[in-house]
Amino acid sequence: MPKAQETILEIDLKALKHNFEYLKSKTKQGTKILGVVKAFAYGSDANEIAYYLQNLNIDYFAVAYVHEGISLRNFGIAKPILVLHPQAINFKLLIKHCLEPSLYNSKILNEFIKIASEENQSNYPIHIKFNTGLNRLGFDANDIDYLIDKLKNTSSIKVASIFSHLAASEDLNEKAFTLNQIQSFKNITENIIPKLGYKPMLHLCNTSGILNYPEAHFDMVRTGIGLYGFGNSEKENTHFKPIGTLKTVISQIHTIEKGDSVGYNRAYKTENQIKTATLPIGHADGIGRQYGKGKGFVTINGQKAPIIGNVCMDMIMVNVTNVDCKEGDEAIVFDKNYTAEELAETAGTISYEIITGISQRVKRVYLK
Ligand SMILES: *Cc1c(COP(=O)(O)O)cnc(C)c1O
C-alpha cells in the first residue's frame, strides 16, 4: 500500500468480497441478497461498490432516494434497485430509470398509482413496506384490506416484495421484541398473500438480522454495514474486514511551550512542553467537533496520538509528544486495526455515522 501524501479513503475491494462471501455463507441457501448502497455505499462510493457487487452476482440493490438510484443506473448498474424512501416529486424520474419504490402509506401508494397509470405502466414493480415495531415507515397490519382493494383496482403496479425492518436486531437484550417483530411480519404476510393471489418476495433482515435470526431470512436479506466490514458485535466483527482505511499525512510539527495553547478558542492549554502534529483533515471531511478535546485519536507509526483542542474545518492537531514521527509521515484515522467503530465509540457514536460522514472532498482510492 502506498503511503498517503494527502487525505484519502482507501477502499479494499478484496475485503468487500470477503464480507459479501461471509454474509452469503451465513444466509440460508437460495436466499437472495440485497446490497444496501445508500449514502454513497455508507461513505465509500456507491457506484464503484455496486459495480463490484454486481460482478459478484448480488441480486438486488437498495438506496434511500431516487437520485442515488439514478446515479447507479448512469454508471451501468442493471440489477433491480429498491428505493427505500422515494418522494412523489421524483416518481417520473424513478420510472424513467426503472427504479422500484418502497410504498409505505396510502398517500404515497395513491400518488404512485396515479403517476404509473399516467405513464402507461403495467405491472410496474413496487415494494410494500409494513411497520412491525420500528415505528418509522410502513403500513399497519390493519391496512391490509385497504391495500388489497387498491391493488385489485389497478393493473399499473404489481407487488414485487413485501418487507419490514427490524428495530434492534443487533441487541440480544431485545430478543423478545425482535421475535415479536418476526411473528408480526409472518402474520401480515400469511394474511395478505392469499388475498393478493400471488406470492411476492418477502424480506425482513438487515446485517444483524442475518447473523442473529437465521430463521427470519425469508426470500431475501438486506445487508449494508456488513458489506462494509462491521458486524455490530465483538464476536461478529472478527469475521468481517472493514473495507475503508482513512489516512492522512503530517503537514507540520510544532513544539508548544508550557502555558501556551493549541487551536481555536485556546481549547487545549499545555501544562508541560508538548509536541503536536497538524493534519489536513477536519470537520468538513467528516471528523466532527465531538472528536476534539482528547476524545478521538489517530495512529502514527503504530502509536496513538489523541486529537487535542477543537477540530477545525480543514485540520486537526494531535499530540505526538511520545510518538516518533516527522513531517510527511502518514497518519491513520481508521483502518482494519484501529477501526472506525473504535473511533466512533470515543465520541459516543456508531461506525455507521463516522463512515457515512466522510465527505465527498476526501479522495477515494481503490485497492483491487
Ligand atoms: C439501511 C437499511 C438496511 C441496512 O441495514 P444494515 O444494518 O446496515 O445492514 C436494511 N434495510 C433498511 C430498510 C434500511 O433502511
Side-chain angles (χ1 to χ4, degrees):
M1 271 175 245
K3 260 180 51 177
Q5 300 181 63
E6 61 181 330
T7 302
I8 56 170
L9 180 62
E10 233 171 47
I11 312 280
D12 179 353
L13 293 171
K14 275 209 200 107
L16 178 65
K17 182 165 187 240
H18 166 89
N19 298 330
F20 176 69
E21 281 170 358
Y22 176 67
L23 287 158
K24 220 169 147 171
S25 78
K26 298 303 272 186
T27 303
K28 190 183 58 177
Q29 216 168 7
T31 309
K32 288 192 159 71
I33 298 193
L34 176 153
V36 181
V37 293
K38 63 194 179 192
F40 299 102
Y42 290 38
S44 12
D45 178 336
N47 292 336
E48 291 283 350
I49 297 285
Y51 199 82
Y52 191 80
L53 290 170
Q54 180 166 267
N55 286 339
L56 293 178
N57 222 4
I58 201 163
D59 299 283
Y60 240 94
F61 289 109
V63 292
Y65 302 117
V66 169
H67 283 89
E68 296 179 304
I70 293 174
S71 168
L72 293 180
R73 286 286 183 248
N74 290 340
F75 199 76
I77 304 301
K79 295 274 178 185
I81 301 173
L82 164 59
V83 181
L84 293 165
H85 199 174
Q87 264 81 45
I89 190 175
N90 299 317
F91 277 163
K92 278 194 184 162
L93 277 172
L94 175 144
I95 291 172
K96 184 172 164 214
H97 291 90
C98 296
L99 306 171
E100 305 178 2
S102 161
L103 302 176
Y104 53 85
N105 66 6
S106 61
K107 181 171 187 286
I108 198 149
L109 174 68
N110 289 323
E111 284 166 332
F112 191 72
I113 291 174
K114 182 165 173 281
I115 302 286
S117 48
E118 279 170 18
E119 299 281 305
N120 296 317
Q121 297 297 318
S122 69
N123 293 330
Y124 194 92
I126 59 124
H127 302 260
I128 299 285
K129 172 119 189 233
F130 277 94
N131 176 24
T132 53
L134 180 58
N135 292 329
R136 192 170 71 176
L137 291 178
F139 283 101
D140 192 80
N142 296 326
D143 296 325
I144 288 178
D145 290 335
Y146 167 87
L147 260 170
I148 292 295
D149 188 51
K150 280 280 161 193
L151 294 166
K152 291 256 149 117
N153 275 301
T154 175
S155 57
S156 305
I157 61 172
K158 183 163 184 189
V159 184
S161 87
I162 297 172
F163 76 110
S164 185
H165 194 33
L166 297 172
S169 57
E170 73 282 15
D171 185 354
L172 294 177
N173 294 320
E174 293 291 355
K175 191 161 183 182
F177 184 89
T178 303
L179 293 175
N180 200 39
Q181 275 199 282
I182 296 169
Q183 192 55 49
S184 303
F185 184 65
K186 277 190 184 150
N187 294 345
I188 287 167
T189 57
E190 281 165 15
N191 184 351
I192 198 170
I193 287 170
K195 294 177 180 168
L196 201 56
Y198 56 91
K199 198 184 165 301
M201 276 194 304
L202 308 180
H203 48 112
L204 177 65
C205 284
N206 62 345
T207 299
S208 292
I210 296 171
L211 302 171
N212 295 330
Y213 298 93
E215 71 276 24
H217 288 178
F218 296 97
D219 302 312
M220 184 160 77
V221 292
R222 307 183 302 270
T223 176
I225 199 77
L227 289 173
Y228 310 114
F230 299 92
N232 291 336
S233 78
E234 238 168 77
K235 177 174 155 270
E236 282 299 343
N237 282 342
T238 64
H239 297 291
F240 288 96
K241 294 182 181 167
I243 70 166
T245 295
L246 182 59
K247 18 164 114 160
T248 184
V249 57
I250 298 177
S251 298
Q252 192 171 10
I253 289 181
H254 290 282
T255 300
I256 315 284
E257 297 304 333
K258 178 178 172 174
D260 222 333
S261 61
V262 178
Y264 285 131
N265 315 104
R266 307 194 64 203
Y268 184 88
K269 291 195 175 138
T270 48
E271 283 166 9
N272 294 299
Q273 189 196 64
I274 62 163
K275 191 169 71 159
T276 65
T278 303
L279 310 175
I281 185 168
H283 63 73
D285 302 290
I287 306 302
R289 300 245 309 178
Q290 66 272 31
Y291 292 97
K293 299 187 177 170
K295 291 221 168 94
F297 61 89
V298 304
T299 58
I300 298 170
N301 298 326
Q303 291 159 283
K304 278 194 187 189
I307 301 172
I308 60 174
N310 282 321
V311 171
C312 312
M313 185 183 297
D314 309 312
M315 282 170 258
I316 52 175
M317 281 71 91
V318 297
N319 190 336
V320 291
T321 308
N322 300 313
V323 178
D324 181 19
C325 62
K326 58 183 189 304
E327 291 169 355
D329 279 1
E330 185 174 270
I332 305 285
V333 182
F334 56 72
D335 65 3
K336 290 180 175 66
N337 299 319
Y338 295 95
T339 66
E341 184 161 284
E342 205 176 319
L343 179 58
E345 275 168 13
T346 65
T349 182
I350 55 174
S351 62
Y352 294 70
E353 186 184 19
I354 184 145
I355 62 174
T356 58
I358 303 308
S359 78
Q360 293 300 300
R361 177 164 86 172
V362 175
K363 187 161 136 192
R364 271 66 175 166
V365 175
Y366 293 89
L367 302 176
K368 306 214 172 177

